[in-house]
Amino acid sequence: MSRVESIFQEFIDSIQTAVNVDEFERVATRLTQQLGFQRFAYLRLTGDTPTLISSYPKSWTSRYFQLGYQQLDPVVRRARVEHALFSWGGGGSAPVGNREQRRFFDEAATFGIRSGVTVPIRGGFGRMAAFTLATDDRDVHLERLVADWKGLVQLAGVYFHSHVSSKLGVPSTDKRSGSELTQRERQCLAWTAQGKTVADIAVLVQIAPRTVVFHLENARRKLGAASIAQCVAEALRRGLLS
């Protein structure tokens, strides 16, 4: 088993047993450190009610919500419109946003939040969530970390969201049901969950690559997911791939 697979398997095993905020925080903190970051934050916004699980300093998170920074935060604003993981901050990055937003980043840096990567998780009716790994290391090679861990972080973010939604009573992003997955759709998702590419799955299932994509997209639509990674996490959470 490769290091990536080992880290991800440990995360999946641990998150299955997490049942409260403290346990979810411990699981995500362990993953964060294994991937070379220092802190994590899971933020879910539903209307005016935010849900936060994080290892950020409490002094920062209290100030963040007291001043309504979730409306200003350039990372959250970007997560509302992006679909894929993105990086932010870093020594080589140009200043982001207007003067107020740049001042926000400067203030966050004083609390040890200088750069990071964020997984956007989109939902219906304006709901959204974001799973972020952050660091204060000025010398960190963010591009290298993203290249090494992008797929794992993307999948870990949607897994974390799905389990928090299920176990802590937070409504999931979009749980429209009524359309059962076909056997072929479950096959393709199951292989995807094991890290196989479309080309790999085509060989394993003995169908054309475009047919694999067709089945994955059908499954994504049926489960109301914004991405294939989120679709896999939701299918696993519902026990559809067991």
Side-chain angles (χ1 to χ4, degrees), residues 21-32:
V21 169
D22 288 342
E23 290 177 359
F24 276 110
E25 183 178 334
R26 281 196 292 272
V27 171
T29 295
R30 168 71 172 160
L31 176 72
T32 300

Side-chain angles (χ1 to χ4, degrees), residues 71-138:
Q71 305 301 325
L72 172 69
D73 188 342
V75 175
V76 172
R77 293 167 71 96
R78 185 173 173 184
R80 287 186 179 277
V81 298
E82 295 275 359
H83 291 281
L85 176 148
F86 60 87
S87 60
W88 47 270
S93 299
V96 175
N98 57 34
R99 181 181 301 176
E100 191 176 20
Q101 291 171 328
R102 292 195 295 271
R103 189 162 55 243
F104 164 84
F105 269 131
D106 289 342
E107 185 177 348
T110 67
F111 289 89
I113 305 161
R114 189 174 302 277
S115 61
V117 295
T118 294
V119 178
I121 304 165
R122 303 277 295 282
F125 304 102
R127 297 194 298 266
M128 63 81 64
F131 182 80
T132 294
L133 303 181
T135 181
D136 187 35
D137 188 348
R138 294 176 181 271

Side-chain angles (χ1 to χ4, degrees), residues 167-183:
K167 296 179 182 179
L168 299 187
V170 182
S172 185
T173 50
D174 189 349
K175 293 176 67 175
R176 291 173 294 177
S177 57
S179 298
E180 292 293 332
L181 296 181
T182 66
Q183 180 180 358

Side-chain angles (χ1 to χ4, degrees), residues 39-55:
R39 300 183 184 276
F40 88 94
Y42 166 78
L43 175 65
R44 186 179 191 279
L45 299 176
T46 304
D48 296 325
T49 307
T51 298
L52 177 70
I53 301 175
S54 86
S55 58

